[in-house]
Amino acid sequence: TRGLAMVQRDADFPAPLILPNGYCAQELVNLLIVGRAHSNVFNGEKLIGEEGEGTRLRGIPRRTPVGFLTLFERQGEPGSLVVVGGNLKRPLSPVFVVQSESHYSCLWATAECRALTFDAKVEPQNDDELDEPEPECAPGASVELCYFDQMAERNDAVRLTLRRRAAPPAGPSTDYAPLENVIFTR
């Protein structure tokens, strides 16, 4: 129902939805999750450059039904990393599209989990509130998740039990599996 012309206007700059390497562009991922083909994963809009002469970059305008987490948030040098905003990190339901390495998969909570979502009845007052730390589970607390990766040559989801550590590692580490590094971004 969005239409090709509207999808093209959603993006910051003209770009194909499927990239030359066959990968899905972020605009297509956002179109599927949010219903808009915005080019970025931060909250709201950002103006780059001078007022009136700058470029407006569009991110995610509101909380989403399904979240998005990416390994790219843990890779690279500080300041050059992708930053996913709270609109995608704190979805209305505890279901996440996961971009890890070169493909997408799905992670979801087996039961409603306050640690993964906002209370749907309590709306944040502003965009900054979405980026503030939320109440966390106590160290040692656990949450049950399911993970499905179509590239893993399995027909069913893998059940995961995550236990909160005292503190996640500061940066990416080869000591942790890519999925674990993605979960650290949440």
Side-chain angles (χ1 to χ4, degrees):
T1 62
R2 189 88 182 125
L4 188 55
M6 290 295 289
V7 166
Q8 290 174 336
R9 281 194 295 263
D10 285 345
D12 292 338
F13 304 100
L17 296 178
I18 304 295
L19 302 173
N21 58 8
Y23 290 174
C24 181
Q26 189 63 48
E27 289 84 353
L28 182 55
V29 174
N30 289 346
L31 178 63
L32 295 171
I33 292 175
V34 184
R36 300 277 189 270
H38 293 174
S39 300
N40 303 287
V41 292
F42 53 72
N43 290 346
E45 296 181 348
K46 291 185 180 182
L47 182 64
I48 305 298
E50 299 290 322
E51 185 70 37
E53 297 177 22
T55 300
R56 179 180 56 147
L57 303 178
R58 292 187 203 129
I60 306 304
R62 63 189 169 283
R63 288 178 48 218
T64 56
V66 173
F68 177 76
L69 301 173
T70 177
L71 184 61
F72 296 140
E73 195 167 7
R74 298 258 312 160
Q75 295 177 328
E77 297 298 319
S80 69
L81 301 174
V82 170
V83 177
V84 178
N87 286 336
L88 286 169
K89 283 189 177 182
R90 296 180 182 170
L92 296 171
S93 60
V95 177
F96 296 89
V97 172
V98 175
Q99 182 183 25
S100 178
E101 301 172 300
S102 62
H103 67 284
Y104 297 89
S105 53
C106 186
L107 179 74
W108 66 95
T110 57
E112 190 166 329
C113 175
R114 173 72 175 126
L116 295 177
T117 63
F118 265 145
D119 182 343
K121 297 175 185 165
V122 179
E123 276 296 320
Q125 299 302 309
N126 57 53
D127 287 344
D128 293 336
E129 197 173 316
L130 283 166
D131 291 324
E132 291 176 5
E134 62 187 283
E136 296 184 359
C137 298
S142 65
V143 62
E144 295 290 321
L145 300 176
C146 288
Y147 177 69
F148 181 74
D149 183 346
Q150 70 283 2
M151 301 291 281
E153 298 180 6
R154 293 181 56 112
N155 292 326
D156 56 343
V158 174
R159 258 184 117 73
L160 306 169
T161 300
L162 301 180
R163 286 185 180 71
R164 187 176 181 288
R165 298 170 188 219
S173 171
T174 56
D175 294 340
Y176 304 105
L179 178 61
E180 195 168 1
N181 273 309
V182 169
I183 293 170
F184 285 145
T185 68
R186 178 56 187 89

